[in-house]
Amino acid sequence: MKKIGIYPGSFDPVTKGHIDMIERAAKLFDVLYVAVLNNNSKSPLFSFNERVKMLEEITRDIPNVKVDSFEGLLVDYADKVGACTIVRGLRAVTDFEYEISMAQTNRTLNGKIDTVFLTTSPEYAYLSSSTVREVAMYGGDFRQFVPESVARCIDSKLKEKMEARNE
Ligand code: ADP
């Protein structure tokens, strides 16, 4: 039986903290699905396809990582790909409340699926996609928070937004 894990998230955009998690989680499973949530209720900076592409580029050298996407319930997606484990990152106590309720809800919905938490590496513990978006929007040095390929995507997105504003 293959050990299959899922690392779900919005990844808007992917940060060095996410990459650290993916590299560490990939060592725990035969196959790790990095699954982008396709959620219409949020208005993301990057489209769903852009986020998938960014992750594909970043993970192409990790052979047991598959980038995928899902809509609807995570436990249904887990069943579909045959995964028994969801991986989430815990940065600080502020993540805990939300994460524990999600984990317990998912377990109530599907008792075969467990959530495991990896504590974040201290150097990325403060980092979130929303911080990166904000720093980028206000002209700060976001490049230190993301890999170069993502930094280029942010550059183009900012340019796109500027052009739209000037039209
Ligand atoms: P979501 O909207 O589902 O929280 P995110 O893309 O923000 O999606 O995060 C996906 C997962 O990555 C979550 O488990 C989150 O705790 C974790 N994560 C986010 N930032 C970091 C980081 N800097 N270090 C480690 N894990 C992180």
Side-chain angles (χ1 to χ4, degrees):
M1 272 280 276
K2 277 193 171 172
K3 273 190 291 173
I4 301 173
I6 301 174
Y7 177 45
S10 313
F11 306 107
D12 183 36
V14 187
T15 69
K16 286 186 178 173
H18 292 132
I19 296 168
D20 176 57
M21 288 282 295
I22 294 169
E23 286 172 350
R24 288 160 59 203
K27 293 186 188 135
L28 305 176
F29 300 97
D30 296 309
V31 180
L32 177 71
Y33 284 88
V34 178
V36 184
L37 172 64
N38 192 358
N39 179 353
N40 292 331
S41 69
K42 279 190 181 178
S43 51
L45 178 63
F46 286 98
S47 74
F48 161 72
N49 283 331
E50 287 168 331
R51 287 178 278 147
V52 168
K53 275 206 195 105
M54 272 188 247
L55 280 163
E56 280 172 349
E57 162 82 26
I58 284 153
T59 59
R60 66 172 179 209
D61 294 331
I62 317 175
N64 64 330
V65 167
K66 291 186 179 161
V67 178
D68 199 5
S69 61
F70 72 102
E71 277 180 280
L73 290 178
L74 180 56
V75 287
D76 291 342
Y77 171 71
D79 255 346
K80 192 186 102 190
V81 297
C84 296
T85 314
I86 295 164
V87 180
R88 296 284 290 176
L90 280 182
R91 280 165 292 197
V93 72
T94 40
D95 280 340
F96 184 78
E97 220 171 308
Y98 172 73
E99 291 294 341
I100 196 162
S101 81
M102 278 302 298
Q104 287 171 338
T105 305
N106 285 334
R107 186 129 180 88
T108 306
L109 290 173
N110 186 334
K112 288 184 299 193
I113 296 166
D114 252 313
T115 302
V116 299
F117 296 100
L118 296 183
T119 53
T120 63
S121 297
E123 66 265 44
Y124 304 127
Y126 63 91
L127 196 53
S128 67
S129 296
S130 59
T131 309
V132 173
R133 289 197 302 270
E134 233 162 89
V135 171
M137 289 298 195
Y138 292 108
D141 174 19
F142 61 83
R143 301 192 107 78
Q144 56 193 309
F145 306 133
V146 296
E148 187 45 39
S149 59
V150 172
R152 284 197 297 271
C153 295
I154 296 175
D155 286 335
S156 329
K157 185 59 75 179
L158 291 177
K159 209 169 146 219
E160 212 177 274
K161 288 210 171 277
M162 285 276 275
E163 281 164 6
R165 214 173 294 151
N166 292 336
E167 266 166 22

